[in-house]
């Protein structure tokens, strides 16, 4: 991440006049600032430069399989290239949205590793037709994905390069719902939770679509954009999400677009009231998915292709710096 030096314009003539009583600084953004001349020893003009807050590090990405019983779970491990593979780092596990793969989380995993953290993005079993993990889409449910995530957490905690006491999960959309449910199991011992537009509305969507022939592969679905198996729908019919989250006591942040038409931001507003320590960050104008890789089956509907990562990634990194400071901080 970089910051630009503040560029100011100054009323130089009046500032340097013997009769001048004050100097007014006009930042590029923000309100004007007034200084008394008696408090100023001299004025210095500096050129605008890009100065790194923290140097971005080269990122090493390696394929790494985790295991759930006899099933293999495909994933990619992101680490700072200059850090030894055996050096235990705070780690973020990234859980993708429905119909996507680990590749959709590349921007966030890369940003975390470039900042000095370890990150692991994986394919849910049966999470999409493109999944590189074992399992069929017909067998996938929210709860099989919870089991996938629990298996990944348990295995990564045995990895020498992972600080087992500082494991976080970042989940988007359906992956956010999965992450939230997983965090409720105290045996996972997560250090924190980051949710992007979590799909806490899935039971409501299923109930709605049941009125129009069903949300599953055997019904009308949503115009071919997405379909769920009957097993998936059966598992979530009548399920009370909010009765099954809120026990996780570590800090939670939720990042949600104000214009999300798939998961209304009201679902996250309710979730923030459910958790004992949660903060909601609203990304003004954002739809469902903060960059092109995270739009899934819905493409660029209603302007969803806009890239909001310049706002989203700093939120994630600031949260991590607060919850798991790096050795250099």
């Amino acid at each position: 991440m970089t910051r630009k030096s503040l560029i100011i314009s100054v009323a130089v003539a009046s500032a340097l006049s013997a009769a001048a009583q004050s100097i007014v600084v006009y930042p590029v953004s923000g309100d004007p600032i007034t200084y008394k001349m008696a408090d100023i020893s001299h004025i210095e003009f500096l050129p605008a430069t890009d100065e790194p807050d923290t140097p971005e590090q080269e990122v090493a990405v390696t394929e790494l399989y985790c295991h759930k019983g006899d099933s293999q779970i495909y994933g990619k491990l992101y680490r700072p290239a200059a850090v030894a593979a055996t050096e235990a780092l705070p780690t973020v596990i990234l859980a993708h949205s429905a119909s996507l793969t680990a590749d959709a989380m590349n921007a966030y995993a890369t940003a975390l590793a470039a900042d000095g953290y370890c990150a692991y993005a994986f394919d849910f079993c049966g999470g999409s037709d493109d999944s590189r993990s074992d399992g069929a889409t017909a067998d996938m449910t929210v709860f099989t994905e919870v089991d996938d995530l629990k298996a990944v957490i348990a295995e990564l905690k045995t990895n020498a390069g992972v600080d087992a006491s500082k494991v976080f999960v970042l989940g988007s959309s359906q992956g956010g719902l999965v992450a939230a449910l997983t965090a409720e199991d105290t045996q996972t011992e997560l250090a924190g939770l980051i949710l992007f537009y979590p799909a806490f509305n899935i039971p409501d969507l299923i109930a709605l679509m049941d009125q129009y022939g069903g949300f599953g592969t055997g019904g009308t679905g949503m115009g071919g954009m997405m379909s769920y198996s009957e097993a998936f729908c059966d598992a979530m019919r009548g399920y009370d999400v909010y009765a099954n989250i809120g026990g996780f006591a570590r800090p939670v942040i939720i990042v949600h677009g104000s214009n999300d038409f798939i998961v209304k931001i009201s679902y996250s507003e309710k979730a923030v009231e459910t958790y004992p320590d949660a903060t909601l960050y609203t990304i003004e104008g954002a739809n469902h998915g903060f960059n092109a890789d995270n739009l899934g089956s819905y493409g660029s509907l209603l302007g969803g292709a806009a890239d909001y990562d310049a706002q989203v990634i700093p939120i994630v990194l600031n949260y991590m710096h607060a919850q798991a400071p790096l050795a250099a901080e």
Side-chain angles (χ1 to χ4, degrees), residues 225-249:
M225 289 187 295
M226 178 187 290
S227 60
Y228 283 124
S229 70
E230 284 304 313
F232 182 99
C233 295
D234 286 345
M236 293 302 288
R237 280 192 178 94
Y239 188 78
D240 188 342
V241 171
Y242 297 99
N244 288 279
I245 64 170
F248 184 68

Side-chain angles (χ1 to χ4, degrees), residues 1 4 14 25 31-32 52 54 57 60 67 93 162 168-169 183 211 242 256 262 267 279 284 294 301-302:
M1 305 301 296
K4 292 188 180 297
S14 63
V25 179
D31 297 327
T54 53
Q57 305 183 51
H67 302 84
I93 298 170
V162 172
F168 300 76
V169 172
Q211 300 177 43
Y242 297 99
H256 208 128
I262 296 173
Y267 285 91
T279 303
E284 292 297 333
N294 278 274
L301 290 177
L302 303 184

Side-chain angles (χ1 to χ4, degrees), residues 8-292:
I8 62 175
S9 62
V10 184
V12 178
S14 63
L16 300 181
S17 167
Q21 300 299 309
S22 63
I23 182 171
V24 181
V25 179
Y26 295 90
V28 171
S29 62
D31 297 327
I33 306 168
T34 301
Y35 297 93
K36 291 183 178 179
M37 286 300 293
D39 296 331
I40 300 175
S41 63
H42 68 282
I43 300 172
E44 186 175 1
F45 294 88
L46 300 175
T49 58
D50 285 337
E51 300 173 3
D53 291 325
T54 53
E56 288 196 355
Q57 305 183 51
E58 295 262 343
V59 174
V61 183
T62 56
E63 293 184 330
L64 177 67
Y65 281 89
C66 290
H67 302 84
K68 182 180 72 171
D70 295 331
S71 297
Q72 289 198 110
I73 299 175
Y74 173 87
K76 293 185 288 186
L77 191 71
Y78 299 69
R79 290 181 60 87
V83 177
T86 55
E87 182 174 336
L89 297 176
T91 298
V92 181
I93 298 170
L94 298 102
H96 64 77
S97 305
S99 80
L100 299 179
T101 68
D103 297 342
M105 308 303 276
N106 179 67
Y108 309 112
T110 299
L112 286 159
D115 203 55
Y117 294 96
C118 177
Y120 183 76
F122 69 98
D123 292 358
F124 281 113
C125 294
S128 76
D129 292 336
D130 296 321
S131 176
R132 291 153 290 192
S133 298
D134 293 341
T137 56
D139 298 326
M140 181 273 293
T141 71
V142 165
F143 301 106
T144 66
E145 291 198 344
V146 167
D147 290 340
D148 293 346
L149 180 53
K150 288 181 178 180
V152 168
I153 293 168
E155 188 156 342
L156 283 186
K157 283 190 173 187
T158 67
N159 188 304
V162 172
D163 184 339
S165 68
K166 297 177 181 177
V167 173
F168 300 76
V169 172
L170 187 164
S172 63
S173 194
Q174 184 172 302
L177 170 59
V178 170
L181 296 177
T182 301
E184 294 298 309
D185 185 344
T186 57
Q187 293 185 19
T188 63
E189 295 184 336
L190 294 179
L193 190 60
I194 303 167
L195 305 176
F196 289 176
Y197 40 89
F200 294 150
N201 65 331
I202 286 179
D204 291 344
L205 279 177
I206 291 171
L208 174 64
M209 296 310 297
D210 279 346
Q211 300 177 43
Y212 299 95
F215 201 11
T217 55
T220 59
M222 294 186 69
M225 289 187 295
M226 178 187 290
S227 60
Y228 283 124
S229 70
E230 284 304 313
F232 182 99
C233 295
D234 286 345
M236 293 302 288
R237 280 192 178 94
Y239 188 78
D240 188 342
V241 171
Y242 297 99
N244 288 279
I245 64 170
F248 184 68
R250 298 293 184 92
V252 178
I253 61 170
I254 305 177
V255 190
H256 208 128
S258 63
N259 291 353
D260 193 328
F261 78 103
I262 296 173
V263 182
K264 295 294 186 182
I265 196 170
S266 58
Y267 285 91
S268 286
E269 291 169 343
K270 183 175 180 179
V272 165
E273 298 302 318
T274 304
Y275 286 108
D277 184 0
T279 303
L280 174 63
Y281 293 89
T282 302
I283 306 300
E284 292 297 333
N287 205 324
H288 195 73
F290 296 137
N291 62 35

